Amino acid sequence: MYKAGGQLRCLALLMAAWTAITVAHFAIGAGTHGLHVVHIVLAGLYLLVVIAAAIWFGLVGALLSSIAVTAAYIPYVLVVWRNQPMENANQYAMLVVYWVVAFTAGTLAWRREIEMQRHLASERAADRSAVIEAIAGLSNALRARDEYTREHSEQVALLAVAIGNELGLPENQVELARLAALIHDVGKIGVRDDVLLKPGQLSDEERQAVQQHPMIAADILRPIHGANEIADIVLAHHECPDGSGYPRGLRGEAIPIEARIVRVADVYASLVERRPYKNAMDSDSALSLLSQGAGSKFDLEGVQALKRVMAKSGMHKAT
Ligand SMILES: [Fe+2]
């Protein structure tokens, strides 16, 4: 079916053609054999209106244009060709032709539209499975580099899905958050081992090197066909609602909702996990730390949703 800003122009064209044919039809009358030929040509031109309507507006357009043609044609037959029953029989047969053509052309347009939708859906599914395969490959690359990061990412993905569902996000956004969470730290592949695995405090220079990882991740993801949205989420997973995050200092809703969710999940998971340089924090303490920064450092609704998720799982009392 025709889909573009030109729909109104097509409608105007159809109405202009219908009006011109109808006016010409009534104007020529039925005086001579020559005029009869003109009538036959004009009656045929109505078919173009019906076919064009089917191409541009599908089955509905074809049927509506048939109604319009019928509404113009019957008065023409009754007025201009009155008292000519033999001729009228031919003319009424033409009405049947209009409707048969409308149904045929409309049905073909409708089937073509369905085929196109099916094709687009299978293309999207192919893109999505290519993205998932690419992400699985990146996840394996992470494992080869650092088993801890991969386990952490899987935990973040589980939490991101739980938060997204708790917030009532559409399924596709929850899935985007999950995929982004699985490889949110893939950019750490580009951070030197002695910095990435350093047990103690990082120097300013080392911290800056680590803070490059969202941009490195986005650069890794962008060339993957269909992974642009995931690249945007990963790029923003260290942004804060108050603009104090990195790499771009985005604020509030300028940060994709999926990235805000991944950040809440990421920070919570990091706090409750044991790392070489720190012990694991208990869930209540981690949630209370997140609550202190809710609305400034972390997405407020995301933190509230995580608390509800934890309360339902029995790991935290809702406050
Ligand atoms: Fe990160």
Side-chain angles (χ1 to χ4, degrees), residues 1 20 24 30 50 63 66 70 72 77 83 94 100 107 113 132 137 140 153 170 198 240 248 272-273 297-298 301 315:
M1 200 175 296
V50 172
L63 296 179
S66 277
T70 304
V77 171
N83 301 324
M94 194 64 193
V100 169
T107 305
E113 174 70 13
I132 290 170
N140 283 338
S153 300
K198 185 175 174 181
C240 299
R248 290 179 291 171
V272 298
E273 286 161 6
K297 301 298 172 199
F298 315 110
E301 290 182 1
M315 291 180 68

Short mmCIF file of all heavy atoms in Angstrom, two decimals, residues 1 20 24 30 50 63 66 70 72 77 83 94 100 107 113 132 137 140 153 170 198 240 248 272-273 297-298 301 315:
data_model
loop_
_atom_site.label_atom_id
_atom_site.label_comp_id
_atom_site.label_asym_id
_atom_site.label_seq_id
_atom_site.Cartn_x
_atom_site.Cartn_y
_atom_site.Cartn_z
N MET A 1 0.84 -1.20 0.00
CA MET A 1 0.00 0.00 0.00
C MET A 1 0.88 1.25 0.00
O MET A 1 1.97 1.24 0.52
CB MET A 1 -0.90 0.00 1.24
CG MET A 1 -2.09 0.90 1.08
SD MET A 1 -3.21 0.78 2.49
CE MET A 1 -3.74 -0.90 2.35
N ALA A 20 -13.35 15.10 -13.25
CA ALA A 20 -13.18 15.44 -14.67
C ALA A 20 -13.93 14.45 -15.56
O ALA A 20 -14.63 14.85 -16.51
CB ALA A 20 -11.69 15.44 -15.02
N ALA A 24 -17.16 15.50 -17.79
CA ALA A 24 -17.06 15.29 -19.25
C ALA A 24 -18.16 14.35 -19.72
O ALA A 24 -18.80 14.58 -20.76
CB ALA A 24 -15.69 14.72 -19.59
N ALA A 30 -25.40 12.24 -25.52
CA ALA A 30 -25.42 10.99 -26.29
C ALA A 30 -25.99 11.22 -27.69
O ALA A 30 -26.69 10.39 -28.23
CB ALA A 30 -26.27 9.96 -25.54
N VAL A 50 -10.19 3.37 -10.34
CA VAL A 50 -10.33 2.23 -9.42
C VAL A 50 -8.98 1.54 -9.22
O VAL A 50 -8.57 1.23 -8.08
CB VAL A 50 -11.38 1.23 -9.97
CG1 VAL A 50 -11.40 -0.05 -9.14
CG2 VAL A 50 -12.75 1.87 -10.00
N LEU A 63 -12.48 -0.31 -3.12
CA LEU A 63 -13.93 -0.42 -2.91
C LEU A 63 -14.57 0.96 -2.80
O LEU A 63 -15.64 1.21 -3.36
CB LEU A 63 -14.21 -1.27 -1.66
CG LEU A 63 -13.76 -2.73 -1.78
CD1 LEU A 63 -14.05 -3.50 -0.51
CD2 LEU A 63 -14.40 -3.42 -2.98
N SER A 66 -14.86 2.44 -6.12
CA SER A 66 -15.95 1.81 -6.88
C SER A 66 -17.29 2.41 -6.50
O SER A 66 -18.17 2.60 -7.35
CB SER A 66 -16.00 0.32 -6.58
OG SER A 66 -15.08 -0.32 -7.38
N THR A 70 -19.64 4.23 -9.09
CA THR A 70 -21.03 3.77 -9.23
C THR A 70 -22.00 4.95 -9.02
O THR A 70 -22.97 5.12 -9.77
CB THR A 70 -21.34 2.66 -8.21
OG1 THR A 70 -20.39 1.61 -8.41
CG2 THR A 70 -22.74 2.10 -8.39
N ALA A 72 -21.53 8.00 -9.57
CA ALA A 72 -21.53 8.94 -10.70
C ALA A 72 -22.13 8.30 -11.95
O ALA A 72 -22.78 8.97 -12.75
CB ALA A 72 -20.09 9.38 -10.98
N VAL A 77 -26.28 7.18 -16.47
CA VAL A 77 -27.04 6.24 -17.31
C VAL A 77 -28.53 6.61 -17.30
O VAL A 77 -29.20 6.64 -18.34
CB VAL A 77 -26.84 4.79 -16.80
CG1 VAL A 77 -27.79 3.83 -17.51
CG2 VAL A 77 -25.40 4.36 -17.01
N ASN A 83 -34.54 5.85 -21.32
CA ASN A 83 -35.40 5.22 -22.33
C ASN A 83 -34.61 4.48 -23.41
O ASN A 83 -35.04 4.41 -24.56
CB ASN A 83 -36.31 6.28 -23.01
CG ASN A 83 -37.18 6.98 -21.99
OD1 ASN A 83 -37.63 6.36 -21.01
ND2 ASN A 83 -37.40 8.28 -22.17
N MET A 94 -21.11 -2.67 -17.35
CA MET A 94 -19.84 -1.97 -17.06
C MET A 94 -19.66 -1.78 -15.55
O MET A 94 -18.54 -1.82 -15.04
CB MET A 94 -19.85 -0.62 -17.78
CG MET A 94 -18.49 0.05 -17.84
SD MET A 94 -17.32 -0.91 -18.82
CE MET A 94 -15.79 -0.10 -18.38
N VAL A 100 -15.68 -5.86 -10.22
CA VAL A 100 -14.76 -7.01 -10.34
C VAL A 100 -13.31 -6.53 -10.32
O VAL A 100 -12.44 -7.08 -9.63
CB VAL A 100 -15.06 -7.81 -11.63
CG1 VAL A 100 -13.95 -8.83 -11.92
CG2 VAL A 100 -16.40 -8.51 -11.51
N THR A 107 -7.58 -6.82 -3.89
CA THR A 107 -7.08 -8.04 -3.24
C THR A 107 -5.60 -8.24 -3.54
O THR A 107 -4.81 -8.62 -2.67
CB THR A 107 -7.89 -9.28 -3.72
OG1 THR A 107 -9.26 -9.02 -3.48
CG2 THR A 107 -7.47 -10.53 -2.99
N GLU A 113 0.75 -6.18 0.17
CA GLU A 113 1.05 -5.51 1.44
C GLU A 113 1.41 -6.55 2.51
O GLU A 113 2.38 -6.41 3.24
CB GLU A 113 -0.18 -4.69 1.87
CG GLU A 113 -0.09 -4.04 3.25
CD GLU A 113 0.92 -2.90 3.31
OE1 GLU A 113 1.35 -2.44 2.24
OE2 GLU A 113 1.27 -2.49 4.43
N ILE A 132 22.13 -10.95 17.99
CA ILE A 132 22.28 -11.83 19.14
C ILE A 132 23.53 -12.70 18.98
O ILE A 132 24.31 -12.88 19.92
CB ILE A 132 21.01 -12.70 19.33
CG1 ILE A 132 19.87 -11.79 19.80
CG2 ILE A 132 21.25 -13.82 20.33
CD1 ILE A 132 18.51 -12.42 19.79
N GLY A 137 29.13 -13.70 20.51
CA GLY A 137 30.56 -13.73 20.18
C GLY A 137 31.34 -12.75 21.06
O GLY A 137 32.40 -13.09 21.59
N ASN A 140 31.68 -14.08 24.50
CA ASN A 140 32.76 -15.07 24.59
C ASN A 140 34.12 -14.37 24.63
O ASN A 140 35.03 -14.82 25.33
CB ASN A 140 32.71 -16.02 23.39
CG ASN A 140 31.60 -17.03 23.57
OD1 ASN A 140 31.16 -17.29 24.69
ND2 ASN A 140 31.12 -17.59 22.47
N SER A 153 28.16 -9.34 33.79
CA SER A 153 27.27 -8.88 32.73
C SER A 153 25.99 -9.71 32.69
O SER A 153 24.90 -9.18 32.47
CB SER A 153 27.97 -8.95 31.37
OG SER A 153 29.11 -8.13 31.40
N PRO A 170 7.75 -2.00 27.11
CA PRO A 170 7.40 -2.96 26.05
C PRO A 170 8.50 -4.02 25.93
O PRO A 170 9.67 -3.77 26.23
CB PRO A 170 7.35 -2.10 24.79
CG PRO A 170 7.19 -0.70 25.26
CD PRO A 170 7.82 -0.62 26.62
N LYS A 198 43.81 -4.03 37.88
CA LYS A 198 44.56 -3.47 39.02
C LYS A 198 43.72 -3.57 40.29
O LYS A 198 42.57 -3.11 40.32
CB LYS A 198 44.88 -2.00 38.72
CG LYS A 198 45.76 -1.35 39.77
CD LYS A 198 46.12 0.06 39.34
CE LYS A 198 46.88 0.78 40.45
NZ LYS A 198 47.23 2.15 40.07
N CYS A 240 24.53 9.98 34.11
CA CYS A 240 23.72 10.18 35.31
C CYS A 240 22.60 11.18 35.03
O CYS A 240 22.80 12.11 34.24
CB CYS A 240 24.58 10.75 36.44
SG CYS A 240 25.93 9.67 36.91
N ARG A 248 29.29 11.62 27.77
CA ARG A 248 28.78 12.86 27.18
C ARG A 248 28.12 13.80 28.17
O ARG A 248 27.72 14.90 27.80
CB ARG A 248 27.79 12.51 26.03
CG ARG A 248 28.48 11.89 24.83
CD ARG A 248 27.48 11.53 23.74
NE ARG A 248 26.63 10.40 24.13
CZ ARG A 248 25.58 9.97 23.46
NH1 ARG A 248 25.24 10.58 22.34
NH2 ARG A 248 24.87 8.95 23.88
N VAL A 272 26.95 -5.66 45.21
CA VAL A 272 26.70 -6.91 45.96
C VAL A 272 27.67 -8.03 45.58
O VAL A 272 27.65 -9.10 46.17
CB VAL A 272 25.23 -7.41 45.80
CG1 VAL A 272 24.24 -6.39 46.35
CG2 VAL A 272 24.93 -7.76 44.36
N GLU A 273 28.50 -7.76 44.55
CA GLU A 273 29.49 -8.77 44.16
C GLU A 273 30.81 -8.53 44.90
O GLU A 273 31.16 -7.38 45.19
CB GLU A 273 29.76 -8.70 42.65
CG GLU A 273 28.63 -9.26 41.81
CD GLU A 273 28.68 -8.79 40.37
OE1 GLU A 273 29.66 -8.12 40.00
OE2 GLU A 273 27.73 -9.07 39.63
N LYS A 297 22.18 10.56 40.64
CA LYS A 297 23.18 9.65 40.04
C LYS A 297 22.53 8.47 39.33
O LYS A 297 23.12 7.90 38.41
CB LYS A 297 24.13 9.10 41.13
CG LYS A 297 24.88 10.19 41.87
CD LYS A 297 25.77 10.96 40.94
CE LYS A 297 26.40 12.17 41.61
NZ LYS A 297 26.89 13.16 40.64
N PHE A 298 21.34 8.10 39.80
CA PHE A 298 20.65 6.93 39.23
C PHE A 298 19.21 7.30 38.93
O PHE A 298 18.63 8.16 39.60
CB PHE A 298 20.68 5.75 40.22
CG PHE A 298 22.02 5.52 40.85
CD1 PHE A 298 22.23 5.79 42.18
CD2 PHE A 298 23.08 5.06 40.09
CE1 PHE A 298 23.47 5.60 42.77
CE2 PHE A 298 24.33 4.87 40.66
CZ PHE A 298 24.53 5.16 42.01
N GLU A 301 12.99 6.15 39.00
CA GLU A 301 12.01 5.07 38.81
C GLU A 301 12.70 3.71 38.72
O GLU A 301 12.16 2.70 39.17
CB GLU A 301 11.18 5.32 37.55
CG GLU A 301 10.24 6.50 37.71
CD GLU A 301 9.38 6.71 36.48
OE1 GLU A 301 9.50 5.94 35.52
OE2 GLU A 301 8.59 7.67 36.50
N MET A 315 14.44 -10.35 49.12
CA MET A 315 15.80 -9.93 49.48
C MET A 315 15.84 -8.55 50.11
O MET A 315 16.84 -8.10 50.60
CB MET A 315 16.69 -9.94 48.24
CG MET A 315 16.96 -11.34 47.72
SD MET A 315 18.00 -11.30 46.25
CE MET A 315 19.54 -10.75 46.95
#
